[in-house]
């Protein structure tokens, strides 16, 4: 399967759709009777009157989520190929994104982090353009607004603001105006939110939107470790990917090296910002899927021998399907 997706053949789009369906079949067989989807944080609901919670039929909810994942996979694939992050065009990034988006059953339904992945892809398009761009002010302003919009949908997304400064540090010589204008972009969205609070007579409550940032980082999380055995092949592939990147890192173009550094920073930001939400939820880690997908694609593009990497990927697929049918 990996060899097939190493080529940039449009027929692979059909195979991506088939794989997407198969990876969600197990959960569709035993889905809960009701799935609710809330698309705005409580503090942001003043700016959009109406209902913020939808209870879709489970199969329709999964269909919408699968459609979004499919679109996002193609966008990630386009992003990687456009900026030449791999040595040649392929459909490996899309394959890895669809696979990792089916890793846990909470990933298979609509959720705010899934919506925010569209914004993260948009951010990456703009941030990677900083390397060769002559003017960065408009880009950083736009990305600041994107982060603000994302934080209205899913508050931990606010930490993606650190990715803006990381990109400026990696791609641009220091210019304090470029660092400040990102804050201005974020403040623009906050201004409209403050106006909504003022018009509704809730302006004294505006400062409470920052309360989650005071949450202490947890020292432990109560989880059932048997449910996370599916991560074993993921960790193995990720480590092998890091090793492979390290082997040929300095033979890559400077832009590619800096892009992978930015992706790793985004992975760390996404992974460590889960604690902002009061209740631990696996859906948060959908924000990690984009950078991890690119690392996986890089490994499988250069991996050898064939029997090993094909077996490793097959093991990952089998474990995902197995844990959809089995909970401990």
């Amino acid at each position: 399967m990996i060899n097939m997706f190493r080529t940039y053949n449009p027929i692979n789009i059909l195979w991506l759709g088939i794989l997407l369906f198969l990876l969600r079949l197990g959960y569709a067989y035993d889905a809960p009777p009701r799935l609710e989807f809330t698309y705005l944080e409580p503090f942001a609901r003043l700016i959009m009157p109406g209902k913020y919670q939808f209870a879709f039929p489970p199969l329709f909810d999964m269909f919408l989520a699968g459609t979004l994942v499919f679109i996002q996979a193609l966008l990630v694939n386009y992003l990687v190929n456009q900026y030449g992050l791999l040595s040649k065009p392929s459909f490996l990034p899309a394959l890895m994104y669809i696979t990792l988006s089916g890793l846990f059953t909470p990933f298979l339904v609509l959720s705010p982090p899934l919506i925010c992945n569209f914004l993260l892809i948009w951010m990456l398009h703009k941030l990677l353009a900083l390397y060769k761009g002559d003017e960065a002010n408009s880009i950083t302003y736009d990305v600041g607004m994107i982060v603000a919009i994302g934080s209205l949908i899913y508050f931990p997304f606010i930490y993606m603001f650190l990715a803006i400064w990381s990109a400026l540090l990696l791609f641009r010589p220091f210019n304090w105006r470029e660092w400040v204008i990102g804050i201005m972009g974020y403040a623009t969205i906050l201004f409209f939110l403050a106006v909504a609070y003022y018009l509704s007579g809730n302006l004294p409550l505006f400062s409470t939107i920052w309360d989650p940032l005071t949450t202490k980082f947890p020292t432990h999380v109560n989880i059932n470790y048997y449910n996370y055995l599916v991560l074993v092949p993921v960790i193995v592939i990720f480590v092998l990917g890091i090793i492979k990147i390290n082997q040929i890192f300095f033979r890559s173009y400077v832009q590619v090296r800096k892009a992978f550094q930015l992706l790793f920073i985004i992975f760390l930001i996404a992974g460590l910002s889960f604690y902002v939400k009061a209740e631990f939820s696996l859906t948060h880690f959908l924000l990690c899927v984009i950078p991890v997908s690119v690392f996986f694609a890089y490994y499988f593009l250069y991996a050898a021998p064939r029997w090993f990497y094909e077996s490793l990927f097959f093991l990952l697929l089998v474990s995902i399907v197995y844990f959809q049918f089995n909970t401990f």
Side-chain angles (χ1 to χ4, degrees), residues 120 123 147 156-164 266 269-270 273 287:
L120 185 54
M123 279 182 59
V147 173
F157 198 79
I158 191 174
Y159 279 105
M160 285 297 163
F161 194 89
L162 298 175
I164 304 176
I266 289 175
I269 294 171
S273 59
L287 296 174

Side-chain angles (χ1 to χ4, degrees), residues 44-250:
R45 296 173 185 175
L46 291 174
I47 61 176
M48 289 190 67
K51 293 183 63 177
Y52 311 99
Q53 214 166 28
F54 300 111
F56 294 123
L59 292 181
F60 183 67
D61 187 293
M62 291 185 63
F63 172 77
L64 289 178
T67 301
L68 296 183
V69 166
F70 188 75
I71 296 171
Q72 289 171 356
L74 295 180
L75 290 175
V76 170
N77 203 79
Y78 174 77
L79 171 74
V80 172
N81 291 331
Q82 181 187 19
Y83 288 98
L85 301 189
L86 305 182
S87 62
K88 64 177 183 178
S90 72
F91 274 98
L92 284 175
L95 174 65
M96 297 304 140
Y97 187 84
I98 284 179
T99 302
L100 293 173
S101 295
L103 198 60
F104 298 106
T105 53
F107 286 10
L108 306 180
V109 297
L110 288 174
S111 64
L114 179 61
I115 303 300
C116 284
N117 268 354
F118 279 109
L119 299 177
L120 185 54
I121 295 169
W122 191 11
M123 279 182 59
L124 281 169
H125 268 287
K126 288 185 170 293
L127 293 178
L128 292 176
L130 286 172
Y131 182 74
K132 292 185 178 179
D134 296 327
E135 197 271 329
N137 289 339
S138 60
I139 293 177
T140 52
Y141 183 83
D142 291 345
V143 178
M145 294 180 67
I146 293 171
V147 173
I149 293 170
S151 65
L152 300 183
I153 299 171
Y154 184 64
F155 190 69
F157 198 79
I158 191 174
Y159 279 105
M160 285 297 163
F161 194 89
L162 298 175
I164 304 176
W165 287 343
S166 299
L168 289 173
L169 193 63
L170 289 169
F171 297 140
R172 306 281 298 181
F174 179 76
N175 184 335
W176 68 268
R177 292 180 180 85
E178 295 173 355
W179 287 61
V180 172
I181 202 166
I183 300 175
M184 294 174 62
Y186 191 95
T188 301
I189 302 299
L190 280 187
F191 171 77
F192 288 110
L193 182 61
V195 170
Y197 268 72
Y198 173 76
L199 295 176
S200 62
N202 293 312
L203 190 59
L205 300 176
F206 184 72
S207 61
T208 61
I209 69 176
W210 309 110
D211 288 349
L213 294 178
T214 62
T215 305
K216 293 183 178 180
F217 196 85
T219 56
H220 68 279
V221 178
N222 294 323
I223 58 176
N224 186 343
Y225 292 100
Y226 289 106
N227 291 329
Y228 299 91
L229 291 175
V230 68
L231 288 176
V232 172
V234 173
I235 294 172
V236 170
I237 297 172
F238 187 77
V239 171
L240 291 174
I242 294 296
I243 294 173
K244 181 63 67 175
I245 291 173
N246 186 59
Q247 288 175 349
I248 56 180
F249 184 76
F250 292 103

